[in-house]
Short mmCIF file of all heavy atoms in Angstrom, two decimals:
data_model
loop_
_atom_site.label_atom_id
_atom_site.label_comp_id
_atom_site.label_asym_id
_atom_site.label_seq_id
_atom_site.Cartn_x
_atom_site.Cartn_y
_atom_site.Cartn_z
N ARG A 20 -57.48 -4.44 -0.67
CA ARG A 20 -57.54 -2.99 -0.51
C ARG A 20 -57.12 -2.33 -1.73
O ARG A 20 -56.07 -2.72 -2.36
CB ARG A 20 -56.59 -2.55 0.54
CG ARG A 20 -56.98 -2.88 2.07
CD ARG A 20 -56.15 -2.25 3.04
NE ARG A 20 -56.84 -2.48 4.45
CZ ARG A 20 -56.13 -2.17 5.52
NH1 ARG A 20 -54.85 -1.69 5.37
NH2 ARG A 20 -56.62 -2.43 6.70
N LEU A 21 -57.92 -1.29 -2.31
CA LEU A 21 -57.72 -0.82 -3.51
C LEU A 21 -57.37 0.78 -3.32
O LEU A 21 -58.18 1.35 -2.55
CB LEU A 21 -58.86 -0.95 -4.45
CG LEU A 21 -59.06 -2.24 -5.11
CD1 LEU A 21 -59.32 -3.43 -4.24
CD2 LEU A 21 -60.18 -2.16 -6.29
N THR A 22 -56.50 1.29 -4.12
CA THR A 22 -56.23 2.72 -4.09
C THR A 22 -57.22 3.35 -4.94
O THR A 22 -58.06 2.79 -5.60
CB THR A 22 -54.73 2.94 -4.79
OG1 THR A 22 -54.83 2.56 -6.09
CG2 THR A 22 -53.78 2.17 -3.97
N LYS A 23 -57.20 4.66 -4.91
CA LYS A 23 -58.08 5.60 -5.78
C LYS A 23 -58.24 5.14 -7.17
O LYS A 23 -59.17 4.91 -7.74
CB LYS A 23 -57.78 7.08 -5.66
CG LYS A 23 -58.02 7.60 -4.23
CD LYS A 23 -57.67 9.01 -4.40
CE LYS A 23 -57.26 9.70 -3.10
NZ LYS A 23 -56.91 11.17 -3.13
N SER A 24 -57.00 5.04 -7.81
CA SER A 24 -56.91 4.79 -9.30
C SER A 24 -57.30 3.31 -9.54
O SER A 24 -58.06 3.13 -10.55
CB SER A 24 -55.53 4.93 -9.83
OG SER A 24 -54.60 4.06 -9.12
N GLU A 25 -57.12 2.40 -8.56
CA GLU A 25 -57.66 1.04 -8.69
C GLU A 25 -59.20 0.90 -8.64
O GLU A 25 -59.83 0.12 -9.52
CB GLU A 25 -56.99 0.06 -7.87
CG GLU A 25 -55.51 -0.03 -8.09
CD GLU A 25 -54.75 -0.54 -6.84
OE1 GLU A 25 -55.27 -0.71 -5.74
OE2 GLU A 25 -53.47 -0.96 -7.16
N VAL A 26 -59.77 1.70 -7.82
CA VAL A 26 -61.14 1.74 -7.71
C VAL A 26 -61.88 2.33 -8.94
O VAL A 26 -62.78 1.94 -9.52
CB VAL A 26 -61.68 2.57 -6.42
CG1 VAL A 26 -63.10 2.89 -6.39
CG2 VAL A 26 -61.19 1.80 -5.24
N GLU A 27 -61.23 3.36 -9.47
CA GLU A 27 -61.66 4.07 -10.66
C GLU A 27 -61.52 3.08 -11.89
O GLU A 27 -62.44 3.08 -12.68
CB GLU A 27 -60.75 5.32 -10.97
CG GLU A 27 -61.07 6.56 -10.15
CD GLU A 27 -62.39 7.18 -10.63
OE1 GLU A 27 -62.96 6.92 -11.65
OE2 GLU A 27 -62.90 7.95 -9.71
N THR A 28 -60.39 2.35 -12.00
CA THR A 28 -60.34 1.32 -13.08
C THR A 28 -61.36 0.23 -12.88
O THR A 28 -62.01 0.08 -13.98
CB THR A 28 -58.87 0.73 -12.96
OG1 THR A 28 -57.92 1.72 -13.21
CG2 THR A 28 -58.75 -0.45 -14.12
N LEU A 29 -61.73 -0.17 -11.90
CA LEU A 29 -62.75 -1.23 -11.65
C LEU A 29 -64.16 -0.61 -12.03
O LEU A 29 -64.83 -1.22 -12.75
CB LEU A 29 -62.83 -1.56 -10.06
CG LEU A 29 -64.06 -2.61 -9.78
CD1 LEU A 29 -63.85 -3.89 -10.47
CD2 LEU A 29 -64.07 -2.78 -8.29
N ALA A 30 -64.29 0.75 -11.64
CA ALA A 30 -65.49 1.29 -12.02
C ALA A 30 -65.68 1.47 -13.47
O ALA A 30 -66.79 1.35 -14.17
CB ALA A 30 -65.75 2.65 -11.37
N GLN A 31 -64.64 1.85 -14.21
CA GLN A 31 -64.71 2.17 -15.64
C GLN A 31 -64.67 0.94 -16.42
O GLN A 31 -65.35 0.74 -17.50
CB GLN A 31 -63.47 3.09 -16.10
CG GLN A 31 -63.60 4.40 -15.45
CD GLN A 31 -62.42 5.24 -15.57
OE1 GLN A 31 -61.41 4.77 -16.32
NE2 GLN A 31 -62.40 6.39 -15.16
N THR A 32 -63.82 -0.10 -16.13
CA THR A 32 -63.58 -1.35 -16.96
C THR A 32 -64.34 -2.60 -16.41
O THR A 32 -64.45 -3.50 -17.11
CB THR A 32 -62.12 -1.64 -17.20
OG1 THR A 32 -61.61 -2.13 -15.94
CG2 THR A 32 -61.36 -0.35 -17.65
N GLY A 33 -64.72 -2.54 -15.19
CA GLY A 33 -65.31 -3.71 -14.44
C GLY A 33 -64.38 -4.76 -14.21
O GLY A 33 -64.84 -5.95 -13.66
N TYR A 34 -62.94 -4.48 -14.11
CA TYR A 34 -62.06 -5.47 -13.75
C TYR A 34 -60.72 -4.85 -13.40
O TYR A 34 -60.33 -3.87 -13.94
CB TYR A 34 -61.75 -6.31 -15.04
CG TYR A 34 -60.91 -7.66 -14.77
CD1 TYR A 34 -61.45 -8.66 -14.05
CD2 TYR A 34 -59.67 -7.67 -15.22
CE1 TYR A 34 -60.60 -9.86 -13.89
CE2 TYR A 34 -58.87 -8.78 -14.97
CZ TYR A 34 -59.42 -9.93 -14.28
OH TYR A 34 -58.69 -11.00 -14.03
N TYR A 35 -60.13 -5.54 -12.40
CA TYR A 35 -58.73 -5.06 -12.04
C TYR A 35 -58.06 -6.24 -11.48
O TYR A 35 -58.66 -7.15 -10.79
CB TYR A 35 -58.72 -3.96 -10.99
CG TYR A 35 -57.37 -3.45 -10.70
CD1 TYR A 35 -56.86 -2.50 -11.49
CD2 TYR A 35 -56.63 -3.88 -9.72
CE1 TYR A 35 -55.57 -2.04 -11.39
CE2 TYR A 35 -55.31 -3.47 -9.44
CZ TYR A 35 -54.85 -2.51 -10.37
OH TYR A 35 -53.47 -2.02 -10.17
N LYS A 36 -56.76 -6.47 -11.84
CA LYS A 36 -55.99 -7.61 -11.24
C LYS A 36 -54.56 -7.21 -10.91
O LYS A 36 -54.09 -6.31 -11.45
CB LYS A 36 -56.05 -8.67 -12.33
CG LYS A 36 -55.12 -8.47 -13.43
CD LYS A 36 -55.03 -9.79 -14.28
CE LYS A 36 -54.14 -9.49 -15.48
NZ LYS A 36 -53.86 -10.86 -16.29
N GLU A 37 -54.01 -8.03 -10.17
CA GLU A 37 -52.59 -8.00 -9.88
C GLU A 37 -51.98 -9.31 -9.92
O GLU A 37 -52.78 -10.27 -9.87
CB GLU A 37 -52.35 -7.50 -8.38
CG GLU A 37 -52.57 -6.08 -8.03
CD GLU A 37 -51.57 -5.09 -8.67
OE1 GLU A 37 -50.37 -5.44 -8.89
OE2 GLU A 37 -51.91 -3.88 -8.79
N GLU A 38 -50.64 -9.40 -10.20
CA GLU A 38 -49.97 -10.81 -10.38
C GLU A 38 -48.75 -10.80 -9.51
O GLU A 38 -48.06 -9.81 -9.38
CB GLU A 38 -49.69 -10.98 -11.86
CG GLU A 38 -50.76 -11.00 -12.71
CD GLU A 38 -50.46 -11.20 -14.14
OE1 GLU A 38 -49.28 -11.07 -14.56
OE2 GLU A 38 -51.30 -11.61 -14.95
N THR A 39 -48.50 -12.03 -8.94
CA THR A 39 -47.27 -12.28 -8.29
C THR A 39 -46.56 -13.56 -9.01
O THR A 39 -47.27 -14.62 -9.03
CB THR A 39 -47.55 -12.55 -6.75
OG1 THR A 39 -48.16 -11.43 -6.26
CG2 THR A 39 -46.23 -12.74 -6.05
N LEU A 40 -45.42 -13.40 -9.40
CA LEU A 40 -44.72 -14.43 -10.07
C LEU A 40 -43.99 -15.46 -9.05
O LEU A 40 -43.26 -14.97 -8.13
CB LEU A 40 -43.69 -13.90 -11.10
CG LEU A 40 -44.20 -12.96 -12.22
CD1 LEU A 40 -43.11 -12.37 -12.98
CD2 LEU A 40 -45.28 -13.66 -12.98
N PHE A 41 -44.26 -16.66 -9.19
CA PHE A 41 -43.56 -17.66 -8.42
C PHE A 41 -42.91 -18.54 -9.33
O PHE A 41 -43.45 -19.62 -9.73
CB PHE A 41 -44.56 -18.51 -7.65
CG PHE A 41 -45.17 -17.69 -6.49
CD1 PHE A 41 -46.36 -17.00 -6.52
CD2 PHE A 41 -44.54 -17.75 -5.23
CE1 PHE A 41 -46.94 -16.33 -5.39
CE2 PHE A 41 -45.05 -17.04 -4.05
CZ PHE A 41 -46.13 -16.29 -4.27
N GLY A 42 -41.73 -18.24 -9.81
CA GLY A 42 -40.95 -19.12 -10.85
C GLY A 42 -41.82 -19.16 -11.99
O GLY A 42 -41.99 -18.21 -12.67
N GLU A 43 -42.16 -20.43 -12.38
CA GLU A 43 -42.93 -20.57 -13.57
C GLU A 43 -44.43 -20.50 -13.53
O GLU A 43 -45.13 -20.75 -14.38
CB GLU A 43 -42.55 -22.03 -14.14
CG GLU A 43 -40.95 -22.13 -14.44
CD GLU A 43 -40.67 -23.43 -15.09
OE1 GLU A 43 -41.56 -24.17 -15.62
OE2 GLU A 43 -39.47 -23.69 -15.11
N ARG A 44 -44.88 -20.25 -12.24
CA ARG A 44 -46.37 -20.13 -12.03
C ARG A 44 -46.69 -18.61 -11.64
O ARG A 44 -45.86 -18.00 -11.02
CB ARG A 44 -46.87 -21.09 -11.05
CG ARG A 44 -46.74 -22.57 -11.62
CD ARG A 44 -47.24 -23.53 -10.64
NE ARG A 44 -48.68 -23.49 -10.56
CZ ARG A 44 -49.38 -24.32 -9.81
NH1 ARG A 44 -48.71 -25.38 -9.16
NH2 ARG A 44 -50.71 -24.27 -9.73
N THR A 45 -47.80 -18.27 -11.88
CA THR A 45 -48.30 -16.81 -11.53
C THR A 45 -49.51 -16.95 -10.68
O THR A 45 -50.59 -17.58 -11.03
CB THR A 45 -48.59 -15.97 -12.77
OG1 THR A 45 -47.32 -15.98 -13.62
CG2 THR A 45 -48.94 -14.59 -12.47
N PHE A 46 -49.42 -16.33 -9.56
CA PHE A 46 -50.67 -16.18 -8.66
C PHE A 46 -51.30 -14.90 -8.99
O PHE A 46 -50.69 -13.78 -9.15
CB PHE A 46 -50.18 -16.06 -7.15
CG PHE A 46 -51.26 -15.75 -6.22
CD1 PHE A 46 -52.34 -16.67 -6.08
CD2 PHE A 46 -51.09 -14.78 -5.46
CE1 PHE A 46 -53.31 -16.31 -5.16
CE2 PHE A 46 -52.15 -14.24 -4.59
CZ PHE A 46 -53.20 -15.10 -4.39
N VAL A 47 -52.61 -14.98 -9.29
CA VAL A 47 -53.38 -13.81 -9.64
C VAL A 47 -54.45 -13.39 -8.68
O VAL A 47 -55.16 -14.40 -8.15
CB VAL A 47 -54.01 -13.97 -11.11
CG1 VAL A 47 -54.80 -12.69 -11.49
CG2 VAL A 47 -52.84 -14.26 -12.07
N TYR A 48 -54.65 -12.19 -8.38
CA TYR A 48 -55.86 -11.72 -7.50
C TYR A 48 -56.48 -10.74 -8.14
O TYR A 48 -55.90 -9.78 -8.69
CB TYR A 48 -55.48 -11.57 -5.99
CG TYR A 48 -54.21 -10.71 -5.82
CD1 TYR A 48 -54.44 -9.25 -5.45
CD2 TYR A 48 -52.99 -11.05 -5.98
CE1 TYR A 48 -53.40 -8.52 -5.08
CE2 TYR A 48 -51.90 -10.22 -5.68
CZ TYR A 48 -52.13 -8.94 -5.22
OH TYR A 48 -51.16 -8.06 -5.07
N ALA A 49 -57.80 -10.69 -8.36
CA ALA A 49 -58.45 -9.91 -9.21
C ALA A 49 -59.83 -9.54 -8.53
O ALA A 49 -60.38 -10.25 -7.61
CB ALA A 49 -58.79 -10.52 -10.52
N ILE A 50 -60.38 -8.51 -9.05
CA ILE A 50 -61.80 -8.08 -8.72
C ILE A 50 -62.58 -7.86 -9.99
O ILE A 50 -62.05 -7.29 -10.89
CB ILE A 50 -61.83 -6.82 -7.79
CG1 ILE A 50 -63.17 -6.41 -7.33
CG2 ILE A 50 -61.09 -5.81 -8.30
CD1 ILE A 50 -63.98 -7.32 -6.37
N LYS A 51 -63.73 -8.36 -10.09
CA LYS A 51 -64.58 -8.23 -11.32
C LYS A 51 -65.97 -7.72 -10.99
O LYS A 51 -66.57 -8.31 -10.09
CB LYS A 51 -64.67 -9.57 -12.07
CG LYS A 51 -65.31 -9.57 -13.37
CD LYS A 51 -65.31 -10.83 -14.11
CE LYS A 51 -65.99 -10.86 -15.45
NZ LYS A 51 -65.88 -12.02 -16.04
#
Side-chain angles (χ1 to χ4, degrees):
R20 286 189 175 169
L21 281 69
T22 63
K23 290 182 203 176
S24 60
E25 294 163 349
V26 169
E27 283 287 343
T28 298
L29 175 63
Q31 292 171 5
T32 68
Y34 189 74
Y35 189 81
K36 75 173 182 176
E37 292 282 344
E38 298 180 343
T39 303
L40 304 175
F41 286 95
E43 295 183 21
R44 294 181 71 173
T45 303
F46 171 63
V47 179
Y48 48 107
I50 179 76
K51 182 175 183 180

